[in-house]
C-alpha cells in the first residue's frame, strides 16, 4: 500500500525574535490548509534584512526551539543556519525537496506583504515551480490584491489578526520595556538573560 503523501509547509524568516503571532499563524495554516507539519526555517543571513537583526542566529534558533517545544506538528530546521552565504528561499526549497519523499506536497508560507517583494527574490518564478505559495491573509490586510504575476499561483489562507511584530518587540527592548506576553514565557526568560549579559 502506498504511503499517504504528506503536506508540509516551510515557514522561513528571521524570527528576531519569535513571538506568539508566528505560532498562531502557523497553527491556523495547519488547520485551514490541512497540513501535516510546519517546518520553521530561521535565516542566518537574510539578503533583505541584514541591518536590523538584534539576536544572533544561534540565539534565534534556541528561542524557536523553546517556542516550538510541545507541538509535534511544529518542526525546527537549522538548514539555513548551517548554510554558508546568504539564505535564499529557492536554495532552501530545493534542498528540502531533495530530502523529502517524492509524493510530499511542499508549500512555502509567507505573509501577504511578502508577495509584493517576491519579484526581488532570487529566481522567483522557479520558486513557484518548486512549491505552492501559501499567503497568510490577516484581517488587517484584506482587500490587498495579489500581484498580477502571482495571480492564480498563490493560495490564500485566512489567519487571525495578531498585531504583534518582531520589529515592535525589538523597539520595546531597545526602550527598556517588557515584552512579556508578546513572546512565549521561555523565550522571554531567554531574552532577559541575554540582555542582562
Amino acid at each position: 500500500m502506498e504511503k499517504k503523501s504528506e503536506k508540509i509547509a516551510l515557514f522561513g524568516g528571521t524570527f528576531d525574535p519569535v513571538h506568539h503571532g508566528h505560532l498562531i499563524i502557523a497553527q491556523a495554516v495547519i488547520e485551514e490548509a490541512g497540513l501535516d507539519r510546519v517546518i520553521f526555517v530561521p535565516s542566518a543571513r537574510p539578503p533583505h534584512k541584514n541591518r536590523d537583526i538584534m539576536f544572533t542566529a544561534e540565539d534565534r534558533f534556541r528561542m524557536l526551539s523553546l517556542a516550538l517545544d510541545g507541538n509535534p506538528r511544529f518542526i525546527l530546521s537549522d538548514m539555513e543556519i548551517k548554510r554558508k552565504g546568504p539564505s535564499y528561499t529557492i536554495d532552501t526549497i530545493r534542498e528540502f525537496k531533495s530530502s523529502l519523499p517524492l509524493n510530499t506536497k511542499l508549500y512555502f508560507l509567507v505573509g501577504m506583504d511578502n508577495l509584493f517583494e517576491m519579484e526581488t527574490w532570487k529566481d522567483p518564478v522557479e520558486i513557484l515551480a518548486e512549491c505552492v505559495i501559501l499567503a497568510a491573509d490577516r484581517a488587517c490586510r484584506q482587500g490587498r490584491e495579489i500581484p498580477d504575476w502571482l495571480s492564480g499561483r498563490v493560495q490564500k489562507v485566512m489567519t487571525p489578526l495578531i498585531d504583534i511584530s518582531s520589529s515592535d518587540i525589538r523597539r520595546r527592548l531597545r526602550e527598556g520595556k517588557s515584552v512579556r506576553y508578546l513572546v512565549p514565557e521561555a523565550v522571554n526568560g531567554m531574552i532577559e538573560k541575554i540582555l542582562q549579559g
Side-chain angles (χ1 to χ4, degrees):
M1 179 188 281
E2 188 178 352
K3 187 182 174 188
K4 172 186 170 286
S5 62
E6 266 200 308
K7 296 170 74 174
I8 295 173
L10 305 180
F11 189 4
T14 50
F15 301 106
D16 187 39
V18 60
H19 54 70
H20 284 302
H22 293 129
L23 307 177
I24 291 168
I25 286 171
Q27 183 63 36
V29 169
I30 281 177
E31 293 165 359
E32 293 299 317
L35 303 179
D36 294 290
R37 291 183 284 159
V38 170
I39 302 177
F40 289 71
V41 190
S43 176
R45 286 164 291 279
H48 291 81
K49 295 185 179 178
N50 272 329
R51 292 171 307 211
D52 190 38
I53 293 178
M54 177 176 268
F55 298 101
T56 67
E58 293 73 21
D59 284 341
R60 289 183 283 115
F61 184 86
R62 283 173 52 220
M63 288 180 202
L64 267 165
S65 180
L66 293 170
L68 306 185
D69 187 47
N71 188 333
R73 296 172 84 179
F74 286 174
I75 309 299
L76 179 56
S77 168
D78 61 359
M79 181 182 289
E80 291 193 357
I81 301 286
K82 286 181 172 177
R83 182 187 298 145
K84 290 183 165 70
S87 299
Y88 291 112
T89 297
I90 186 63
D91 298 334
T92 298
I93 290 169
R94 284 176 173 153
E95 197 170 335
F96 266 106
K97 278 193 86 169
S98 71
S99 68
L100 294 169
L102 286 175
N103 63 347
T104 303
K105 184 84 169 175
L106 189 64
Y107 298 82
F108 190 77
L109 173 60
V110 299
M112 279 291 288
D113 287 353
N114 295 123
L115 297 181
F116 296 87
E117 61 182 43
M118 266 189 73
E119 268 190 301
T120 68
W121 295 5
K122 181 183 176 187
D123 300 332
V125 174
E126 293 189 37
I127 292 173
L128 298 176
E130 295 284 357
C131 65
V132 176
I133 302 295
L134 291 178
D137 194 7
R138 295 181 289 179
C140 62
R141 299 299 180 201
Q142 283 182 23
R144 284 192 82 174
E145 294 302 316
I146 291 173
D148 288 343
W149 73 281
L150 286 171
S151 184
R153 306 177 85 171
V154 172
Q155 185 177 328
K156 274 192 193 182
V157 183
M158 295 309 299
T159 58
L161 171 56
I162 308 297
D163 194 17
I164 305 174
S165 71
S166 293
S167 58
D168 185 54
I169 289 171
R170 293 193 300 272
R171 178 188 58 77
R172 292 182 64 85
L173 291 172
R174 289 183 181 115
E175 292 172 357
K177 295 178 179 175
S178 172
V179 297
R180 194 172 189 184
Y181 308 120
L182 298 175
V183 300
E185 189 61 32
V187 172
N188 184 61
M190 183 176 164
I191 289 172
E192 288 180 350
K193 284 180 184 173
I194 290 170
L195 295 183
Q196 287 164 7

